Amino acid sequence: MFRFLLGRLAVLIPTFIGVSIIAFSFIRLLPGDPVALLSGERVMSPERHAEISHQLGFDRPIVMQYLDYLWGVLQGDFGTSIVTKKPVIDQFMELFPATVELSLCAIIFAVVVGIPAGVVAAVKRGSIFDQIIMGTALIGFSMPIFWWGLLLIIVVSGILQWTPVSGRISLMFFFPSVTGFMLVDSLLSGQEGAFQSAFNHLILPTIVLGTIPLAVIARQTRSAMLEVLSEDYVRTARAKGLSTFRVVGIHALRNAMIPVVTTIGLQIGVMLAGAILTETIFSWPGIGKWMVDSVFRRDYAVIQGGLLIIAAVIMLVNLAVDLLYGLINPRIRH
Amino acid sequence: MTEVTATTAISTDPTRRARLAEFWYYFSENRGAVIGLFFFLFLVLLAIFAPLVAPHNPTIQFREAVLLPPVWQEGGRATFLLGTDAVGRDMLSRLIYGTRFSLFVGVIVTVLSLTGGILVGVIAGYFRGWIDTVIMRIMDIILAFPSLLLALVLVAVLGPGLTNAMIAIALVFQPHFVRLTRAAVMTEKTRDYVVAAKVAGAGHARLMFKTILPNCMAPLIVQATLSFSSAILDAAALGFLGMGAQPPTPEWGTMLAEAREFILRAWWVVTLPGLAILVTVLAINLMGDGLRDALDPKLKRS
């Protein structure tokens, strides 16, 4: 296991360096003067320009600039926002829990609905259930989720008036952020109706963000189940006279889950990308919306820092998935 | 043109025809795939003949007919079958012209990422060693970013617009083709027929692209259909975020972005462009499923 971990790290470290080079060069590839872009000052006297240039280290050789940048990053300095003048990492830490909360809810939704749907489709292969489930899954897989979000807003929030349109919680409620997770914080606050409000705000974004992972998980579960169901040990289990529920639920499902777990892990990266659209539609104050807003505000320092942090988070999540996979399936460690 | 190909391919003709027939046999077994194929062909025709089919010019604004509902709803007019948008442009015409942009995006992105990916992937898988390591690390770096975020930032660097959006999306899709090609080339490379060709004196280029590559195409074709539909979705998403095609281009994602403020007042300006995206992507994905069944020998029930 230790060697497996070392092998993964040997790949991860050069990738991280590459990612940091991209983030570093991004600001220098933009048309325009990087000093002006990073300081956010449009008109500058030559003296002021030289001063800021020196402050930001732009008067040093490019290699030294990169090493300085990397050194700063390793100490947690991802730059300072041009617009808010706050450190990028602080803003990230403030907004990240919102994205994590939404992504967790979406993945739970996708797993809880997707795996049973896939199992039913596989067990009843070729039946009307199978066709309906797989047809729906293909539609979900083809869904432009930004449109799906708008449709749900029209129907559920607009016509039926069941859920709020945007945000994380009703403005009526105010309590200090303890964990950053609105569902937990609202319970801790003890205010009546706060949890209900936070929950209602989560419903539509969860469905929208979970739709594509749900479709992928259902399809993957079905094909993994079909493969496992034709194995000898399943036939043996059936021959022993075990009930269908036991055969499918215990013998087959466990083995079919191995590829599905990888798929779920890979979906986490997809989630963070999907969060860009979902958060924009529902004005969800997470990192996806933060990045889109920064692109529009031309807050290049935030884009540069955010890009690097998000890539690092995804790489760590993928590493964790790999390690977990190595634990449940010892065959792939070598 | 057809005569030339016929004469050069004369020796392989029977087997090729047999393979095509076999392909069609497996493909047509999947009913959804055939429906998808026909719908896709319909969209291609619509895109080609858009100026003949569309009732109006997609950018002309009829000032006296703003936000008209579709014809079957109260207040609709027969000249505007699917209604008009907020500045009085005909929805149906804009949707028809929109197929041009979406299919164009799909073709360009797929061609760019497929050829680039094949070229790089074959080199990595054939030569291995340090070239392979360098190439694969670069691909890992691209894959470390969420694809839509990377495309968004690339467009922010290059400047908003459909061309830059296509370049960004193609770049982001490339690693999948590189990985697939490399893996396929690595398994094919040690086969006897490749060794035989090598002994017969074939050079590197011939071995790579004439001997090995044609036997690696099946997974690449399946991935190509997948990236065709994803490209349409991502370009529409960028358009929706205001970073893709710019108004007044009748691109479906851009149309949705313009329609956002009317979601509770005029359902048709929001519903129809999204429906067009969904149906197009669905048709291509149905086709892709059929292609996978027909091309993947593991799934063939012979």
Side-chain angles (χ1 to χ4, degrees), chain B residues 70-301:
Chain B
V71 66
W72 60 86
Q73 227 175 313
E74 201 179 331
R77 281 192 220 158
T79 40
F80 306 109
L81 283 178
L82 294 179
T84 57
D85 68 4
V87 289
R89 292 171 297 199
D90 180 41
M91 286 298 290
L92 179 61
S93 308
R94 288 178 72 73
L95 289 173
I96 291 174
Y97 272 89
T99 44
R100 287 191 155 186
F101 292 97
S102 285
L103 295 184
F104 183 65
V105 166
V107 170
I108 298 293
V109 168
T110 307
V111 167
L112 281 180
S113 52
L114 183 71
T115 45
I118 285 180
L119 202 67
V120 176
V122 167
I123 290 173
Y126 183 83
F127 288 111
R128 304 299 309 274
W130 66 269
I131 301 184
D132 181 35
T133 313
V134 171
I135 290 175
M136 293 323 285
R137 282 304 82 78
I138 294 176
M139 295 307 135
D140 282 348
I141 292 168
I142 300 179
L143 286 172
F145 297 100
S147 63
L148 188 64
L149 177 64
L150 189 58
L152 184 72
V153 170
L154 279 173
V155 175
V157 173
L158 300 167
L162 197 61
T163 316
N164 290 339
M166 288 192 293
I167 295 173
I169 296 168
L171 196 77
V172 174
F173 283 1
Q174 175 129 322
H176 301 287
F177 288 103
V178 173
R179 284 192 162 182
L180 272 179
T181 315
R182 172 177 175 266
V185 168
M186 273 161 51
T187 47
E188 290 296 318
K189 207 189 142 184
T190 49
R191 294 275 171 85
D192 288 344
Y193 72 90
V194 180
V195 179
K198 204 179 201 169
V199 172
H204 285 314
R206 193 183 166 81
L207 278 177
M208 279 192 278
F209 295 104
K210 281 216 100 149
T211 314
I212 298 179
L213 186 60
N215 295 299
C216 305
M217 285 315 281
L220 289 173
I221 293 172
V222 175
Q223 177 66 31
T225 52
L226 203 63
S227 73
F228 197 107
S229 56
S230 314
I232 293 176
L233 277 180
D234 280 7
L238 286 177
F240 179 73
L241 291 173
M243 284 288 161
Q246 297 297 303
T249 315
E251 198 270 332
W252 295 332
T254 313
M255 285 167 71
L256 267 176
E258 290 175 55
R260 254 187 93 176
E261 46 186 308
F262 304 103
I263 52 174
L264 297 178
R265 278 204 281 148
W267 61 269
W268 58 96
V269 287
V270 184
T271 316
L272 297 175
L275 198 62
I277 302 174
L278 172 63
V279 173
T280 308
V281 171
L282 187 61
I284 297 165
N285 284 342
L286 278 170
M287 245 165 54
D289 273 7
L291 276 176
R292 198 192 50 212
D293 291 352
L295 291 172
D296 190 344
K298 265 187 286 178
L299 293 171
K300 276 184 191 165
R301 300 128 281 181

Side-chain angles (χ1 to χ4, degrees), chain A residues 277-298:
Chain A
L277 294 167
T278 311
E279 290 180 0
T280 306
I281 300 165
F282 292 100
S283 301
W284 189 264
I287 52 165
K289 186 171 182 311
W290 178 52
M291 289 305 281
V292 174
D293 289 346
S294 303
V295 166
F296 278 100
R297 284 187 208 137
R298 303 180 187 280

Side-chain angles (χ1 to χ4, degrees), chain A residues 7 23 39 48 71 76 80-81 139 149 152 176 190 195 200 204 206 215 223 246 251 257 273 277 281 306 311 319:
Chain A
S39 65
R48 176 80 181 135
W71 183 238
T80 309
S81 162
I139 292 174
L152 286 175
F195 179 79
N200 286 348
L204 289 190
T206 297
S223 65
R246 240 188 118 76
H251 291 247
M257 275 307 99
L277 294 167
I281 300 165
L319 177 70

